[in-house]
Amino acid sequence: MLPFLLRRTIGAVVILLLLSAFTFFVFFSVGDPALMACGKNCTADNVALIHKNLGLDQPVPVQYWHFLVGIFAGRDFTLGHCSAPCFGYSFATKQDVWATMMDRLPLTASLAFGGVVAFLLIGVGAGLLAAWKRGSLLDKTVTSLSMILSSVQIYILGPVVLGIFVYSGIMAAPAYVNLTSDPVGWFMGLLIPWLVMATIFTAQYTRMARSTMIEQLQEEHVRTAKAKGMPARYVFLRYAWRGSLIPIVTILGVDLGSLFGGAMITEFTFQLAGLGRLAVDSVTTLDLPMVMGVMIFSAALILVFNIIVDAAYAFIDPRVRLS
C-alpha cells in the first residue's frame, strides 16, 4: 500500500506542476498582466511600476520559477509580504489569494460534502432496494424516476425549487452559516442546494447500484450461499452489496471533478459565495492570480480525493491488489 501511495503522490505532484506551468504560460504570456492589474485609471508610470513589482520585465520561465518558489517560501510584493502558501494578490480586490480561497472554502466544502452524502444515501439506497425487489412496481418506479432525473440540470431544477419552496414562503432562501456557530442554521441554509445536487447525481448512482447488485446476486459465491440455506437478507447484506461497491467507488472518484463543477453551478444558481463563484467572478474580471490559485487548489483537491478513492479499493475488496 505504501509504495502505491508514494507513486500516486509523486504522479499527482507532477500533474500539478504541468498544470501550473501550462496555465501560467498561457495566462502570463498572452497580453500584459500589468494592464489587468492596473485597473481603469491607469498611467504609464503605474504600468511600469507594476511590471517591476511583479517581475514582468523578466522572461516568463523566470516569472514562473518565482511564482512556484513563492507558493512554498512566500514572496514580497508592494502590498506586503505574502506568506506561504503564496499565490500572490488579487488584481481586482488586492486581497491575498490564498486567504480569499480559504475564506470561501468552507461553503464549497459544505456543499460538496452534503451533496455526496445525500446522493450516495439516496441513490445507492434506491438502487439496492430496486435490485432487491427486481421486477416489482417499486423497481419499475425507481428505474423510471432515475431515467427522468438523469436529464434534469441544476440550472433548470434550481430556479424551479426556489419558486416552489422559497418564493412561496415555505423555506428561507439558501444561505451559508458557519457550522460551528449554528449547526441548525448551517443545515437548513444548505438543504435546498444539497437536494438539488443530490437529484442530479442520484439518478446515475441508482442505475449503477441496481445493475451491479443484480450482477452480484448472480455470482457463484452468492448462489452457493443461498443454496446452503442462508437467509436471503443475510446473503444480500453479507456478500452481495460489498462487491457492488467497487464500481460505485470508481464512478465516485471520477465524479469528484464533476462535483466541483456542480458546486460551481449550484453556488451561482443559489447566489452562494464559494470557490466556484469566486472562479467565475475572477474569470470575468481577468483576475489572473485568483484564477491560477483556484485552478491549482481545485486540481490538488481532486487528485487527493482520487488517491483516497483508489486506496479505498483494497479496504472494500481484499482481492483487489494495488500494483
Side-chain angles (χ1 to χ4, degrees), residues 53-70:
N53 290 335
L54 294 181
L56 299 176
D57 50 350
Q58 299 177 2
V60 175
V62 177
Q63 296 178 39
Y64 173 67
W65 173 251
H66 289 161
F67 170 78
L68 206 59
V69 172

Side-chain angles (χ1 to χ4, degrees), residues 120-160:
L120 282 181
L121 287 177
I122 299 173
V124 176
L128 296 181
L129 195 59
W132 175 252
K133 300 293 183 182
R134 185 183 182 187
S136 67
L137 178 61
L138 175 66
D139 178 26
K140 294 175 182 176
T141 303
V142 170
T143 305
S144 300
L145 280 176
S146 67
M147 293 292 291
I148 295 172
L149 294 177
S150 63
S151 60
V152 179
Q153 299 297 323
I154 293 175
Y155 52 83
I156 295 175
L157 183 61
V160 172

Side-chain angles (χ1 to χ4, degrees), residues 253-296:
V254 176
D255 276 349
L256 288 174
S258 303
L259 190 65
F260 274 96
M264 185 184 300
I265 299 173
T266 305
E267 290 171 11
F268 206 79
T269 301
F270 295 105
Q271 299 297 306
L272 298 171
L275 275 178
R277 185 62 184 272
L278 179 64
V280 174
D281 293 342
S282 302
V283 170
T284 55
T285 57
L286 296 177
D287 192 351
L288 299 185
M290 195 64 77
V291 175
M292 285 281 298
V294 173
M295 286 186 64
I296 295 174

Side-chain angles (χ1 to χ4, degrees), residues 177-196:
V177 178
N178 192 294
L179 172 63
T180 55
S181 61
D182 185 1
V184 176
W186 173 80
F187 180 82
M188 294 305 296
L190 296 177
L191 183 58
I192 290 179
W194 284 339
L195 293 179
V196 170

Side-chain angles (χ1 to χ4, degrees), residues 4-255:
F4 164 78
L5 292 177
L6 286 175
R7 283 198 304 273
R8 290 301 309 270
T9 303
I10 293 172
V13 171
V14 172
I15 291 173
L16 282 177
L17 285 174
L18 293 175
L19 174 70
S20 64
F22 176 77
T23 52
F24 188 91
F25 279 84
V26 169
F27 288 169
F28 285 82
S29 61
V30 178
D32 189 352
L35 290 176
M36 302 176 194
C38 194
K40 294 181 179 178
N41 301 320
C42 188
T43 65
D45 291 339
N46 288 338
V47 172
L49 182 62
I50 293 172
H51 266 271
K52 181 180 179 182
N53 290 335
L54 294 181
L56 299 176
D57 50 350
Q58 299 177 2
V60 175
V62 177
Q63 296 178 39
Y64 173 67
W65 173 251
H66 289 161
F67 170 78
L68 206 59
V69 172
I71 293 177
F72 300 99
R75 195 174 171 187
D76 290 325
F77 294 93
T78 51
L79 293 172
H81 178 72
C82 177
S83 302
C86 172
F87 288 88
Y89 287 95
S90 163
F91 285 172
T93 64
K94 312 303 179 190
Q95 299 295 315
D96 187 309
V97 170
W98 177 258
T100 305
M101 289 194 299
M102 291 303 100
D103 186 51
R104 302 291 188 94
L105 180 61
L107 193 158
T108 302
S110 298
L111 267 181
F113 174 76
V116 167
V117 171
F119 71 66
L120 282 181
L121 287 177
I122 299 173
V124 176
L128 296 181
L129 195 59
W132 175 252
K133 300 293 183 182
R134 185 183 182 187
S136 67
L137 178 61
L138 175 66
D139 178 26
K140 294 175 182 176
T141 303
V142 170
T143 305
S144 300
L145 280 176
S146 67
M147 293 292 291
I148 295 172
L149 294 177
S150 63
S151 60
V152 179
Q153 299 297 323
I154 293 175
Y155 52 83
I156 295 175
L157 183 61
V160 172
V161 173
L162 283 176
I164 295 174
F165 294 100
V166 177
Y167 299 147
S168 62
I170 297 176
M171 295 181 68
Y176 176 71
V177 178
N178 192 294
L179 172 63
T180 55
S181 61
D182 185 1
V184 176
W186 173 80
F187 180 82
M188 294 305 296
L190 296 177
L191 183 58
I192 290 179
W194 284 339
L195 293 179
V196 170
M197 288 182 67
T199 301
I200 305 302
F201 285 94
T202 289
Q204 177 184 359
Y205 284 85
T206 299
R207 296 199 305 273
M208 175 66 70
R210 179 184 180 277
S211 62
T212 54
M213 176 54 77
I214 289 174
E215 290 177 4
Q216 287 296 316
L217 291 174
Q218 295 172 347
E219 290 286 335
E220 186 175 347
H221 68 284
V222 175
R223 287 189 282 115
T224 301
K226 288 181 179 177
K228 289 183 176 178
M230 292 183 181
R233 183 175 299 178
Y234 178 81
V235 173
F236 186 88
L237 297 175
R238 177 68 178 82
Y239 296 106
W241 86 278
R242 190 171 182 177
S244 68
L245 288 182
I246 295 291
I248 293 172
V249 171
T250 303
I251 295 297
L252 178 63
V254 176
D255 276 349

